[in-house]
Amino acid sequence: MGERPPNTIRFPRNTPTGFLLCIHCRTHLAPLYDCLGSIEWPTPANGVIFRSAVNVRADRFGLFRHNIPMVYVRCNGCNRIIGEKIGVRDPPANRVYEGNYIFHLDHVLRWDGYDLRDPITSDLVLDNDGIP
């Protein structure tokens, strides 16, 4: 496997709208204003849908979930699978989510503009040094 791309985009922590981070390495992933809503998957976890993402890359090989073509999305920081990117879907009525990202809630954290929080429980999360 080749060298991972650099994490080139970071959101300021004073961003009042907030953003998502990778739970494993704290890489910044997507601004909360780009969130389209939540989605409930039977497995592996519920998620949130975003129009765009940063510091991620899509796998080359696709899969189908609920008859929707997708590819896994990996974090550039730790190379872990953190969600999926939705592929092309016909008929045209289903193209509304084409190209959007689904992040699994058990692989992300939420910066809400003030604190780092678990997106499932909304509990405060402390960094390694004990700072939220």
Side-chain angles (χ1 to χ4, degrees):
M1 188 176 227
E3 188 175 317
R4 293 192 299 254
N7 297 325
T8 56
I9 298 175
R10 293 189 59 85
F11 302 108
R13 287 195 85 153
N14 63 357
T15 305
T17 58
F19 52 89
L20 287 187
L21 300 94
C22 175
I23 197 169
H24 309 289
C25 66
R26 305 296 202 261
T27 297
H28 296 199
L29 301 174
L32 291 181
Y33 63 77
D34 251 357
C35 183
L36 298 173
S38 61
I39 188 165
E40 293 186 19
W41 292 120
T43 58
N46 292 337
V48 284
I49 302 174
F50 281 80
R51 279 190 214 101
S52 62
V54 297
N55 303 321
V56 298
R57 69 182 177 288
D59 281 351
R60 292 184 182 155
F61 303 105
L63 65 140
F64 281 85
R65 294 193 72 193
H66 308 287
N67 293 325
I68 301 172
M70 300 188 176
V71 292
Y72 285 123
V73 171
R74 295 179 181 271
C75 172
N76 284 351
C78 61
N79 198 37
R80 294 184 190 209
I81 294 173
I82 55 173
E84 294 99 10
K85 183 175 182 180
I86 301 172
V88 177
R89 172 83 192 256
D90 285 323
N94 293 327
R95 291 182 181 265
V96 65
Y97 293 119
E98 177 184 330
N100 292 331
Y101 294 84
I102 298 172
F103 291 110
H104 300 169
L105 292 179
D106 59 347
H107 289 286
V108 296
L109 294 172
R110 183 184 84 231
W111 173 259
D112 65 3
Y114 304 100
D115 295 309
L116 195 57
R117 301 210 173 260
D118 182 299
I120 299 171
T121 64
S122 292
D123 290 342
L124 187 65
V125 175
L126 301 178
D127 267 336
N128 295 340
D129 54 4
I131 299 172

